[in-house]
Amino acid sequence: MSNKLARLTTNTKGIDKKSIPLLLGIMSAGVLSSNVQANELTYLEELGKRLFFEDISLNQNMSCATCHAGNAGGTTGDSSINESDVAVTGSDGVGVGNLKPPTNQYVQFRTDAGDIVGLGNFKICSVPFLGDVACGGAFWNGRAEGNLIEAFHNIDPFSGVGSEYEGMYRKYIGPLSDQAHASPFINPVEQALETKQDVCKQVRDDTIWGGQLYEYAWGTEIKCGKRQIDRTFARFAIALSAWQMSKDNNPFDSKRDIALRNDADGQFPLDDFTAQENRGHDIFYNVNGAPSGNCVFCHQSDPVNAGGVGPFERYTNDQFFNIGVPRNHDIPNNPEPDIGVELIATKLGLPFGTNLGKHKVPTLRNVDKRPHSGFVKAYTHNGWFKSLEQLVHFYNTARVKPTCASHITTAEQAMLNGCWPEPEFSVNRPPPFVVGGLGLSPQDEADLVAYLKTLSDGSSVKAPGRYRLHIIDESRLQHEDDGSSSGPFGGLEDRADDAFGSF
């Protein structure tokens, strides 16, 4: 442990900040300990979680959780926004984006064995029948490439701290940290603070936890000056990445997960599934003589544990496709359709125009998670679909139903009229046997939806409780990576490297 971990900082009134917990402890011993939920996180993870839930914004009225609500599966937690605008209005009450916020769950996650599993850096992937394609990177268009903090912005987040911090934290640098660094905090249509320094000062000066957690996590006091701000801001991004990779954000406790762990042979059909849910699984994976839904072509991350039995299955191949989604005219200001990964695909040497309209394949985990049955969710990058039933029917019939008249612009209207509007982009679409001409019956569609609904977690991420100043607990600097079977993944984490390797 470096000396910086134990250093004392002094506030403007000359009181040693690390003595404050001792002074308060004389009056109330309970103040010395954090809440139970916090104690299950490392200091870096707790810093990231509090950065995520705090209203760090222009008018202190918006947080990351505004667009990524735990009880909505990491997507927008406002039903009325999902039903209409889709894009969330920013802190200033005026600015607004042009896409639906993607989920922040099951992007990357840390297993009990300490491995980071999930989304890789933006790169070329060689895929059978498709050849070289873009894959990886966060955001709908992959622009959070995974190496931007160091390689593009030339920031060394580990400069000025002991080498042990790089050993503990380098694994959290990747697409998630790039996405946090992008950054919503200073995006004028999101949290809308003007500068990184404004962000840093809100954390340092307006929260009780900012100074202490930053120092406990990084072994040095938080600095917001011009010379230090880039490094501090990058460390915020790494903390946000660490928490979003944690078990707190990725609990793996859906009906599917629990049923698979409890199953006699660990194979489908699952003992605890209904006949409809098991048949929906078979349609999804084209197995056991069921009709071919072909979902597995894009929504499988674990090819080793085929058939949907992988403990860390994320239900995405992290590639980009244009499935022919119609334009959403309800997004404020009716923006032109987003071009997707075409924005950066040429950086990989892919031909110009061949990725127009292609967007990231989203995870299907928590695809139906909602706070109550009447809550409306929005689907696909532009949020045009408002139910799983609509979306599955589109996958089934998009290339065989007639084109709607121009006045039919919503999914509800299209369903009633037996048609689909023109796609945002008519090029670069998969063949009909993959999307749009599956030939499924209404019962097949209903069974598929039933299976998709088993992928929603039973628990929801909760906002952190009241922070309590306390003496540093060095056991919270990193997890014990023993890979034991006592963890929440039931020992299945030992299979992660076989399935994925490490990023």
Side-chain angles (χ1 to χ4, degrees):
M1 187 59 56
S2 71
N3 291 333
K4 290 185 178 180
L5 278 176
R7 65 184 293 276
L8 299 178
T9 61
T10 303
N11 66 15
T12 56
K13 294 185 179 180
I15 300 173
D16 171 13
K17 288 183 179 178
K18 286 185 176 156
S19 295
I20 293 175
L22 295 174
L23 296 172
L24 294 176
I26 295 173
M27 297 178 285
S28 172
V31 176
L32 290 174
S33 62
S34 296
N35 59 60
V36 173
Q37 187 179 18
N39 282 339
E40 295 172 355
L41 301 173
T42 65
Y43 283 125
L44 186 71
E45 289 169 345
E46 186 180 359
L47 174 62
K49 181 171 186 175
R50 291 186 181 276
L51 286 168
F52 189 90
F53 280 94
E54 189 76 20
D55 286 334
I56 303 167
S57 55
L58 177 66
N59 292 314
Q60 297 188 323
N61 60 347
M62 188 178 194
S63 71
C64 302
T66 303
C67 297
H68 305 284
N71 63 2
T75 58
T76 307
D78 188 318
S79 181
S80 63
I81 290 176
N82 292 331
E83 194 169 16
S84 56
D85 292 358
V86 174
V88 180
T89 301
S91 177
D92 67 357
V94 178
V96 63
N98 63 350
L99 294 173
K100 180 185 84 73
T103 182
N104 73 310
Q105 296 185 303
Y106 298 103
V107 180
Q108 293 177 284
F109 52 89
R110 179 195 175 280
T111 71
D112 281 350
D115 300 313
I116 303 302
V117 175
L119 182 69
N121 287 4
F122 186 67
K123 62 181 180 181
I124 287 283
C125 287
S126 294
V127 179
F129 307 110
L130 297 179
D132 289 346
V133 300
C135 65
F139 288 123
W140 285 113
N141 61 7
R143 71 183 187 278
E145 299 178 33
N147 61 354
L148 299 181
I149 290 176
E150 293 174 300
F152 181 77
H153 296 289
N154 197 30
I155 300 169
D156 180 2
F158 304 110
S159 175
V161 296
S163 60
E164 64 268 32
Y165 291 94
E166 183 168 8
M168 292 189 294
Y169 299 160
R170 174 157 290 283
K171 59 179 171 282
Y172 300 123
I173 294 180
L176 273 176
S177 59
D178 275 359
Q179 186 169 7
H181 190 261
S183 153
F185 291 134
I186 55 175
N187 187 328
V189 300
E190 294 185 72
Q191 287 159 272
L193 285 166
E194 188 172 344
T195 68
K196 296 177 183 179
Q197 287 178 284
D198 293 331
V199 176
C200 184
K201 289 173 183 177
Q202 273 200 19
V203 174
R204 183 191 64 190
D205 301 337
D206 296 347
T207 72
I208 191 173
W209 51 266
Q212 186 174 85
L213 276 181
Y214 184 92
E215 185 161 0
Y216 284 2
W218 287 100
T220 186
E221 68 178 309
I222 185 171
K223 295 178 180 179
C224 303
K226 289 183 179 180
R227 289 190 300 172
Q228 301 91 6
I229 188 57
D230 285 345
R231 190 182 305 151
T232 299
F233 202 73
R235 290 170 182 170
F236 285 173
I238 293 170
L240 281 158
S241 175
W243 175 71
Q244 290 180 92
M245 292 185 194
S246 73
K247 292 178 289 188
D248 190 29
N249 194 46
N250 309 284
F252 286 89
D253 63 358
S254 69
K255 179 177 182 178
R256 174 265 186 196
D257 297 312
I258 295 170
L260 186 62
R261 289 196 286 264
N262 292 338
D263 195 74
D265 64 0
Q267 298 291 325
F268 282 86
L270 297 181
D271 301 335
D272 294 337
F273 266 24
T274 66
Q276 184 180 34
E277 290 164 348
N278 275 316
R279 186 171 185 271
H281 161 272
D282 293 348
I283 295 170
F284 188 102
Y285 284 98
N286 307 341
V287 296
N288 298 328
S292 296
N294 293 331
C295 313
V296 66
F297 289 168
C298 299
H299 291 282
Q300 178 173 258
S301 62
D302 181 357
V304 174
N305 295 290
V309 297
F312 297 109
E313 179 58 62
R314 295 171 47 242
Y315 302 96
T316 173
N317 59 11
D318 295 320
Q319 295 172 29
F320 302 83
F321 291 92
N322 171 24
I323 64 171
V325 176
R327 180 171 178 172
N328 188 348
H329 295 276
D330 289 337
I331 296 176
N333 306 314
N334 194 19
E336 289 296 314
D338 184 84
I339 65 173
V341 72
E342 176 71 12
L343 181 71
I344 58 171
T346 54
K347 294 172 62 175
L348 299 175
L350 296 172
F352 178 78
T354 58
N355 287 278
L356 185 65
K358 292 184 179 181
H359 291 85
K360 174 66 63 66
V361 175
T363 177
L364 296 181
R365 283 190 173 272
N366 289 327
V367 70
D368 190 57
K369 187 170 179 60
R370 61 190 76 214
H372 55 81
S373 60
F375 183 92
V376 175
K377 294 197 71 165
Y379 297 97
T380 67
H381 62 279
N382 69 3
W384 191 76
F385 300 95
K386 309 301 181 184
S387 73
L388 281 177
E389 288 78 8
Q390 293 173 355
L391 182 56
V392 169
H393 189 59
F394 178 83
Y395 270 89
N396 186 26
T397 64
R399 301 294 284 271
V400 297
K401 281 192 170 184
T403 301
C404 295
S406 59
H407 69 277
I408 296 174
T409 60
T410 70
E412 183 178 12
Q413 292 169 341
M415 293 284 283
L416 289 173
N417 286 275
C419 60
W420 295 112
E422 290 282 357
E424 288 182 321
F425 299 96
S426 59
V427 297
N428 304 322
R429 297 174 70 181
F433 76 87
V434 177
V435 177
L438 303 182
L440 301 179
S441 70
Q443 186 61 57
D444 297 335
E445 289 185 13
D447 293 350
L448 189 52
V449 169
Y451 172 65
L452 294 174
K453 290 182 177 182
T454 70
L455 307 182
S456 295
D457 288 328
S459 63
S460 298
V461 176
K462 299 291 193 300
R466 181 172 64 91
Y467 187 76
R468 296 175 178 179
L469 295 169
H470 59 283
I471 299 169
I472 190 170
D473 175 0
E474 293 188 5
S475 70
R476 290 185 59 199
L477 290 172
Q478 60 181 329
H479 292 285
E480 292 295 330
D481 294 337
D482 59 6
S484 68
S485 61
S486 60
F489 303 119
L492 296 175
E493 59 272 12
D494 295 331
R495 295 162 59 184
D497 277 340
D498 292 335
F500 298 97
S502 300
F503 291 102

